């Protein structure tokens, strides 16, 4: 009879949060590639917010839960929340149709606002629960960790290709970094 080691409640919660962050980043990245919808600078900052939160959750899964990890994740979520709220307020006027694609008829930046609020509440709950062993080497945690790192690298490369080493365009229509690289190689 083999015993299956299930993660603790906080371990399961951290894995669930990393799954949600992976799904959010994957959906945004798929939309970017499939629909050719390049992210604006505020969208990129929201992705950075989700990524920084994911890094803190990854630290919990790899090194064990620490209050500082949750604290930094909540701070990163507040920053992401403020960026997404800024973008919502930019497009709230009636003649403005919003920026970018929608998901269930709601713009991604509005979903990001809801996501950051949900993450703050979830991490506050996980911070309250007693840590019964968040650190995990289970295959699910390993898979989620690898998926997250690949998304992090893909978004980093994509942002460099879109913006180059300078500021991003307000309304990007092409991968400016690729064009700058072509110009540099042509010299």
């Amino acid at each position: 009879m083999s015993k299956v080691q299930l993660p603790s409640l906080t371990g399961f919660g951290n894995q669930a949060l990393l799954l949600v962050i992976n799904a959010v980043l994957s959906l945004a990245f798929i939309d970017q590639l499939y629909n050719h919808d390049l992210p604006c600078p505020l969208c990129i900052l929201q992705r950075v917010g989700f990524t920084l939160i994911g890094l803190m959750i990854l630290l919990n899964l790899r090194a064990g839960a620490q209050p500082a990890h949750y604290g930094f994740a909540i701070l990163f979520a507040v920053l992401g929340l403020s960026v997404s709220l800024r973008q919502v307020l930019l497009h709230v006027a009636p003649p403005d149709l919003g920026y970018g694609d929608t998901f269930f008829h709601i713009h991604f930046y509005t979903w990001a606002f809801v996501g950051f609020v949900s993450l703050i509440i979830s991490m506050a709950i996980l911070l309250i629960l007693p840590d019964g062993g968040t650190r995990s080497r289970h295959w699910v945690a390993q898979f989620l960790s690898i998926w997250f790192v690949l998304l992090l690298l893909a978004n980093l490369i994509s942002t460099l290709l879109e913006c180059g080493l300078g500021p991003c365009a307000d309304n990007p229509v092409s991968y400016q970094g690729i064009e700058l690289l072509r110009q540099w190689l042509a010299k």
Side-chain angles (χ1 to χ4, degrees):
M1 185 177 236
S2 68
K3 286 187 173 182
V4 175
Q5 183 70 21
L6 294 175
S8 67
L9 187 57
T10 54
F12 178 75
N14 276 275
Q15 288 178 28
L17 287 180
L18 192 57
L19 174 65
V20 167
I21 288 174
N22 285 350
V24 166
L25 291 173
S26 293
L27 181 63
F29 199 61
I30 288 169
D31 178 66
Q32 175 184 342
L33 296 176
Y34 183 74
N35 293 330
H36 306 289
D37 187 21
L38 296 179
C40 68
L42 291 175
C43 300
I44 291 172
L45 285 175
Q46 291 166 46
R47 289 185 191 190
V48 168
F50 282 115
T51 301
L52 290 172
I53 295 166
L55 283 172
M56 294 300 106
I57 294 170
L58 188 63
L59 277 174
N60 281 344
L61 291 174
R62 304 302 291 172
Q66 298 293 325
H69 299 163
Y70 290 118
F72 278 115
I74 290 171
L75 286 175
F76 295 143
V78 168
L79 289 173
L81 177 104
S82 63
V83 171
S84 61
L85 180 60
R86 164 87 167 117
Q87 194 165 12
V88 167
L89 293 175
L90 281 174
H91 300 290
V92 77
D96 192 342
L97 297 176
Y99 181 85
D101 291 337
T102 61
F103 184 69
F104 293 118
H105 303 290
I106 298 175
H107 286 278
F108 283 165
Y109 46 85
T110 307
W111 281 115
F113 179 82
V114 172
F116 285 123
V117 169
S118 301
L119 285 169
I120 289 170
I121 293 168
S122 301
M123 287 180 290
I125 291 170
L126 286 174
L127 190 56
I128 293 169
L129 294 175
D131 181 23
T134 303
R135 187 175 175 175
S136 179
R137 299 285 187 236
H138 192 267
W139 70 268
V140 173
Q142 299 283 8
F143 172 75
L144 291 171
S145 300
I146 291 169
W147 181 13
F148 176 76
V149 170
L150 291 174
L151 281 170
L152 185 150
L153 293 173
N155 277 295
L156 177 66
I157 291 168
S158 169
T159 302
L160 284 173
L161 292 175
E162 179 184 339
C163 304
L165 296 176
C168 298
D170 288 339
N171 189 10
V173 292
S174 67
Y175 286 98
Q176 187 178 20
I178 293 175
E179 294 169 13
L180 292 173
L181 183 62
R182 284 183 187 153
Q183 291 172 359
W184 182 75
L185 291 173
K187 289 182 183 181

